[in-house]
Amino acid sequence: MIEAYGASSGTVQAVLKTLAESSMICKIQGKGCFWGKDPTLTAVPEIRLSTMEKLNRDFDQDFKQGFLKPSTPLPQGKELSARYNVSQNTLRKFLENKVNQGLLAKQGRQYFFYNRRKAENKENLSELIFVTRCNSWGGFTAESERELDFLRLVYKTAGANRYKLTLFGINDATGELIDRNGNPCKLSEHPNAVGAILSTLLVQKFHPLLNFFASVKFPVAVWWEHPEENVPRSFLKKPNWTFFNSTFGKKPGVEMGRFLKKNGILEINYISPFHNSSWSKDRLAGLLDAGLTVHAYVDDEFASPWDYKQIARKKVEKHSVEIFARTLIREKLESLTTQAKEDGSILPCVCVNDEVAGILLEMGDNELTEQLIAFDNSMESYLQRIPSFDFNTEALIEHIFYYLSNPSAFGDKKKIHHILGNVVEK
């Protein structure tokens, strides 16, 4: 409707509200608007899960969110039976079934995720190939806190599990894999490697990276930082490959929406100067799927903070890049917030990331910043005390290493494994 009539989001929402008040249309939360007072909708039958099915669903959810960690024993049976609202006898049957499937192991009364590497009591270092993006001479500079967290946790977890990391770099401009000295990498020089971790963060041309490892027999874990539909289908068919996703898709937006609804917030503004990206659009779609009324104030000229930094690098000295890029984002936000105020849309604001929320606070517009919430859970959200969605990098690393030690851990059907996050309040 915005595109068809050339109207703003706020104007369209105001018109729909007027039509609903006059009973010309009916607004159904999370479904849309329909002609008339009481539209006939096809009823969707409620799916009734058995006790075991519900227990399996909740157990899987806790695993994806990191409450249940592959690196530590499961909580005591009394705690789990209370958490899942089942008897200890039912819980015991469920856990024993997981043991029989080879997913859990048992020692005394304690259950834990089966780890083949620990079970075989590996004492010697085993080689893992670890690939990140790099420049033309093999150098690397982190662009975000999440990327730094990923690197730090990979090194920490590798050490704890007695793995030696061999570093490769993928240069996006050339599509070549090189070591940290700029020399071409050869898999033939690493015949004893037992696995690989591939990061696709800010790697736009990911096909050369994937193809380099296409014929390996050892397990390959890919941190997938692209839309899920872009995963090459040929690699999904490979039994030794699993892709791990935590940030793309609607799930973060849906989880954010559920959090807001629990706190009594049903109508929001969504602010994004990065709306030429699938992740910005997906977060908006997730908020809508959660049943919120959303007024979108977005700009689709650029796709990420990286784009603004690239502009800054061409205009200012290296030490001024961050400040200049932030100034460019602020200019976009001034335009978006002006439109919101003209629409009279003074509502809680969900920002596409913490940087946007922080800049809004710096702008000092108390009307629009009274209630802010964002995505990323970066240091900025702690300094500014902004509730923010954490993408759970710690659980991501736990699951990657669990997979490398137990390639059958997620089953053949879970070739794209989703890590679930949550909102962290300050």
Side-chain angles (χ1 to χ4, degrees):
M1 293 179 72
I2 292 170
E3 293 176 357
Y5 296 109
S8 69
S9 171
T11 299
V12 170
Q13 292 290 347
V15 170
L16 293 175
K17 182 179 179 181
T18 300
L19 292 172
E21 289 172 349
S22 64
S23 298
M24 291 184 67
I25 66 170
C26 176
K27 295 179 72 175
I28 299 179
Q29 194 75 10
K31 299 292 183 182
C33 297
F34 302 83
W35 290 112
K37 295 181 181 180
D38 186 21
T40 301
L41 297 177
T42 303
V44 179
E46 182 181 351
I47 298 175
R48 295 186 179 276
L49 300 177
S50 68
T51 300
M52 283 297 183
E53 287 173 333
K54 185 177 183 300
L55 180 53
N56 192 67
R57 181 198 64 189
D58 294 344
F59 187 89
D60 189 53
Q61 181 92 351
D62 277 347
F63 178 65
K64 290 179 179 179
Q65 288 187 323
F67 175 76
L68 302 175
K69 300 179 184 296
S71 60
T72 58
L74 268 60
Q76 294 295 323
K78 189 175 181 179
E79 179 183 345
L80 288 177
S81 64
R83 182 178 181 86
Y84 299 131
N85 194 27
V86 296
S87 69
Q88 291 201 46
N89 186 48
T90 299
L91 176 70
R92 195 177 301 112
K93 289 180 180 178
F94 172 79
L95 296 178
E96 288 296 335
N97 187 43
K98 293 289 186 184
V99 172
N100 293 333
Q101 294 173 6
L103 298 177
L104 294 180
K106 184 181 180 183
Q107 187 172 2
R109 295 185 177 181
Q110 189 71 68
Y111 293 89
F112 48 90
F113 287 95
Y114 176 74
N115 188 314
R116 186 185 65 191
R117 185 170 179 77
K118 288 184 179 180
E120 293 174 357
N121 195 24
K122 293 283 187 182
E123 294 296 334
N124 298 323
L125 288 174
S126 296
E127 183 182 17
L128 281 182
I129 296 175
F130 180 35
V131 188
T132 67
R133 60 185 177 80
C134 71
N135 57 29
S136 59
W137 58 88
F140 170 84
T141 302
E143 290 289 339
S144 67
E145 288 179 37
R146 192 156 52 91
E147 189 170 28
L148 276 175
D149 285 344
F150 179 81
L151 292 170
R152 176 177 57 83
L153 288 167
V154 166
Y155 276 97
K156 181 180 178 180
T157 309
N161 287 274
R162 301 287 297 165
Y163 285 115
K164 170 192 171 185
L165 292 180
T166 297
L167 303 181
F168 287 5
I170 175 69
N171 180 250
D172 219 16
T174 64
E176 294 181 343
L177 265 78
I178 54 180
D179 63 21
R180 294 313 188 198
N181 296 314
N183 301 314
C185 294
K186 297 179 181 178
L187 284 175
S188 59
E189 296 177 355
H190 305 273
N192 297 319
V194 298
I197 301 174
L198 314 182
S199 167
T200 64
L201 181 65
L202 296 178
V203 178
Q204 303 304 320
K205 302 173 184 177
F206 50 78
H207 285 95
L209 169 60
L210 303 185
N211 289 333
F212 189 84
F213 290 89
S215 61
V216 300
K217 302 301 181 184
F218 51 66
V220 179
V222 184
W223 180 25
W224 189 248
E225 281 289 296
H226 296 275
E228 186 175 311
E229 60 269 20
N230 289 353
V231 177
R233 297 295 129 183
S234 59
F235 287 91
L236 289 177
K237 296 177 182 178
K238 293 181 179 295
N240 59 322
W241 284 65
T242 295
F243 293 77
F244 294 82
N245 169 46
S246 62
T247 56
F248 280 79
K250 297 181 182 180
K251 292 181 186 294
V254 170
E255 292 299 319
M256 174 73 81
R258 289 173 178 166
F259 171 83
L260 293 171
K261 290 174 72 175
K262 284 181 182 178
N263 285 273
I265 298 173
L266 302 177
E267 189 171 6
I268 60 166
N269 289 333
Y270 176 70
I271 311 290
S272 174
F274 313 126
H275 212 55
N276 192 22
S277 66
S278 62
W279 51 273
S280 176
K281 294 171 183 174
D282 283 344
R283 289 172 196 178
L284 172 58
L287 291 166
L288 290 167
D289 281 1
L292 296 175
T293 298
V294 183
H295 305 266
Y297 295 96
V298 299
D299 185 283
D300 60 4
E301 183 177 2
F302 298 113
S304 74
W306 168 265
D307 293 336
Y308 289 88
K309 289 179 183 178
Q310 289 293 79
I311 294 172
R313 288 187 177 102
K314 296 176 182 178
K315 293 180 176 290
V316 298
E317 297 295 328
K318 184 176 181 180
H319 64 273
S320 301
V321 166
E322 293 285 344
I323 296 173
F324 191 85
R326 201 172 173 95
T327 300
L328 294 175
I329 295 172
R330 178 172 180 150
E331 291 172 358
K332 291 285 187 184
L333 292 178
E334 286 173 347
S335 173
L336 297 178
T337 54
T338 297
Q339 184 62 57
K341 285 187 287 185
E342 288 178 357
D343 294 339
S345 188
I346 309 302
L347 294 164
C349 288
V350 175
C351 300
V352 71
N353 70 356
D354 290 338
E355 185 174 24
V356 168
I359 295 173
L360 284 178
L361 284 175
E362 289 173 3
M363 290 164 60
D365 194 333
N366 295 329
E367 280 187 288
L368 287 172
T369 58
E370 187 172 342
Q371 283 185 283
L372 280 180
I373 190 166
F375 292 86
D376 272 354
N377 199 37
S378 66
M379 183 58 67
E380 184 148 13
S381 74
Y382 286 92
L383 294 174
Q384 304 280 13
R385 300 188 69 180
I386 302 167
S388 187
F389 187 88
D390 189 308
F391 289 106
N392 214 345
T393 305
E394 184 176 354
L396 170 70
I397 301 304
E398 287 252 4
H399 288 206
I400 283 176
F401 277 89
Y402 178 52
Y403 164 71
L404 292 173
S405 296
N406 308 273
S408 61
F410 303 121
D412 293 336
K413 294 182 179 180
K414 293 186 178 180
K415 302 307 291 182
I416 301 179
H417 187 67
H418 295 278
I419 307 298
L420 301 181
N422 61 287
V423 175
V424 178
E425 298 185 77
K426 312 297 193 297

